[in-house]
Amino acid sequence: MSFRQDYLSALPQLTAATAPAAALALFRYQAQNCLPYQEYLTALGRDLRQVESLADIPFLPIEFFKTHAVRTAANEWEPQETFLSSGTTQQQRSHHFVREPELYRYHAARIFERYYGPLTGWTILALLPSYLEQGNSSLVAMVEHFARESGQRQPAFFLHDHAALVQALGEAKREANRKVLLIGVSYALLDFAAAYAGQPELLDLTVLETGGMKGRRREMIREELHQELQQGFGPAGIHSEYGMTEMLGQAYSFGDGRFHAPPQLQILLRDPSDPFSVSESLAAGALNVIDLANIDSCAFIETKDLARRHPDGSFEVLGRLDNSDVRGCNQMAT
């Protein structure tokens, strides 16, 4: 079998103990087979033989997904799907070329079910108007797959039809043995909560925000956002998702602002003033992500987010590095 086949066979079984070795093996594979990453490493003058731990790995700046075709073993495949980040022009949008779309959907579903239980026990409804309007969204693809796998009767997406969403929420809540998840971009959830605050259909849901004001509202710190959402959806904690176009995995927060990631998603921090000062023990800093599902693009991503890491491995997203564009997957926080 090829490295890729062996690696993907082992990916679902990774644990916190085995993930670092898998990451190092994937690093060596991508350092030799992902041309933009290889060129970046060459420009750094990095000797691959000296990479012995996760902290030794040079991470690819996330901007490369805007300016380069980030593909591993690119001569072996053509993209079956291309996910684009939100943005005002085609040139400003990141491109994530996907070799096997079913791998993304399968992996995303496994992560969701790790934390929330089987999809067949959920009805998934979504307010993602900007993602639907711009198209080629990995988030929309994920929600479509979740709704299909859940076997729900209601449609998943409602765009701007809030009245239809209220009706669908009411119907879903009346179904026995099913929980209801409302997932949405922040500004759309705020508009919906303000318009229908106090209505019983909005209460006793799991509300999951994906961040993003998209220029429709002022940016809020996460605590303020969640407090305002709770005025419409009730006092239960607001859940959050941490994900982005350049990743195939997600982390989830269950109402306390702390994100939890599966073993296939490793989180490291770096000194914000030194992109090569990476540590597995740093308590706060700029966020680096190892997304072990990204075998066909690049798994080692230097994001522009600031984060705090907790002893249990969970992390908080604190905001953005100076001069970086506001991305849809985060909320600014103090």
Side-chain angles (χ1 to χ4, degrees):
M1 294 177 68
S2 68
F3 172 85
R4 184 177 185 275
Q5 291 173 309
D6 288 339
Y7 178 87
L8 289 177
S9 296
L11 183 64
Q13 285 75 46
L14 287 182
T15 66
T18 61
L24 288 170
L26 183 57
F27 164 73
R28 297 184 182 99
Y29 173 70
Q30 292 188 330
Q32 298 173 2
N33 293 282
C34 178
L35 183 57
Y37 192 35
Q38 182 186 66
E39 292 176 343
Y40 178 66
L41 296 172
T42 300
L44 294 179
R46 186 60 58 94
D47 185 347
L48 304 187
R49 294 170 296 182
Q50 296 178 350
V51 176
E52 299 178 347
S53 71
L54 301 187
D56 296 331
I57 295 174
F59 285 71
L60 187 71
I62 199 166
E63 293 87 352
F64 271 66
F65 284 84
K66 291 184 178 182
T67 58
H68 295 72
V70 182
R71 293 167 55 193
T72 293
N75 63 322
E76 298 179 6
W77 57 278
E78 291 296 325
Q80 299 301 304
E81 194 165 10
T82 300
F83 294 137
L84 302 179
S85 65
S86 57
T88 55
T89 71
Q90 189 78 359
Q91 288 72 28
Q92 292 176 331
R93 303 176 73 181
S94 289
H95 293 63
H96 193 169
F97 300 104
V98 181
R99 180 173 179 171
E100 291 185 43
E102 60 273 17
L103 171 63
Y104 167 62
R105 288 160 174 80
Y106 170 78
H107 186 63
R110 281 185 58 88
I111 295 174
F112 179 89
E113 292 185 331
R114 175 187 179 92
Y115 296 112
Y116 290 97
L119 280 164
T120 51
W122 287 91
T123 296
I124 314 288
L125 307 177
L127 270 178
L128 301 169
S130 50
Y131 292 95
L132 287 167
E133 290 163 348
Q134 290 195 328
N136 298 98
S137 164
S138 58
L139 180 58
V140 169
M142 182 184 79
V143 173
E144 284 178 337
H145 180 66
F146 285 6
R148 185 166 54 249
E149 291 296 303
S150 79
Q152 66 192 55
R153 294 186 295 178
Q154 292 81 1
F157 300 100
F158 292 87
L159 201 57
H160 303 291
D161 192 348
H162 289 176
L165 175 57
V166 171
Q167 181 178 346
L169 287 170
E171 294 173 355
K173 289 175 65 177
R174 288 190 291 271
E175 291 188 52
N177 302 317
R178 294 185 76 92
K179 295 171 284 188
V180 182
L181 174 69
L182 176 61
I183 182 171
V185 62
S186 298
Y187 78 85
L189 288 175
L190 286 168
D191 290 346
F192 180 60
Y196 292 90
Q199 296 218 17
E201 290 87 353
L202 273 66
L203 304 178
D204 301 317
L205 311 172
T206 297
V207 178
L208 190 151
E209 55 90 6
T210 67
M213 293 301 184
K214 309 297 182 188
R216 314 293 179 94
R217 284 173 171 254
R218 65 177 178 85
E219 294 295 329
M220 296 180 179
I221 63 172
R222 189 177 298 275
E223 291 82 358
E224 182 185 6
L225 168 66
H226 287 197
Q227 288 173 4
E228 189 165 333
L229 287 174
Q230 285 172 316
Q231 294 176 18
F233 293 108
I238 304 297
H239 295 215
S240 305
E241 183 218 32
Y242 182 84
M244 58 184 71
T245 300
E246 299 84 358
M247 295 164 52
L248 294 184
Q250 311 83 35
Y252 290 100
S253 169
F254 311 115
D256 60 358
R258 292 189 181 188
F259 288 98
H260 300 264
Q264 294 83 0
L265 200 64
Q266 300 285 302
I267 301 299
L268 287 81
L269 299 179
R270 67 184 189 273
D271 183 337
S273 62
D274 181 1
F276 306 112
S277 179
V278 179
S279 171
E280 296 181 58
S281 60
L282 196 65
L287 185 62
N288 283 3
V289 172
I290 302 176
D291 185 351
L292 294 176
N294 272 13
I295 185 172
D296 297 310
S297 55
C298 182
F300 309 95
I301 303 173
E302 177 192 295
T303 81
K304 298 302 181 185
D305 295 322
L306 294 168
R308 178 183 294 116
R309 186 184 180 95
H310 295 275
D312 65 356
S314 65
F315 65 99
E316 296 176 73
V317 177
L318 303 178
R320 300 285 295 159
L321 286 170
D322 291 343
N323 301 319
S324 61
D325 56 327
V326 176
R327 297 175 61 82
C329 58
N330 303 305
Q331 297 300 323
M332 298 298 290
T334 55

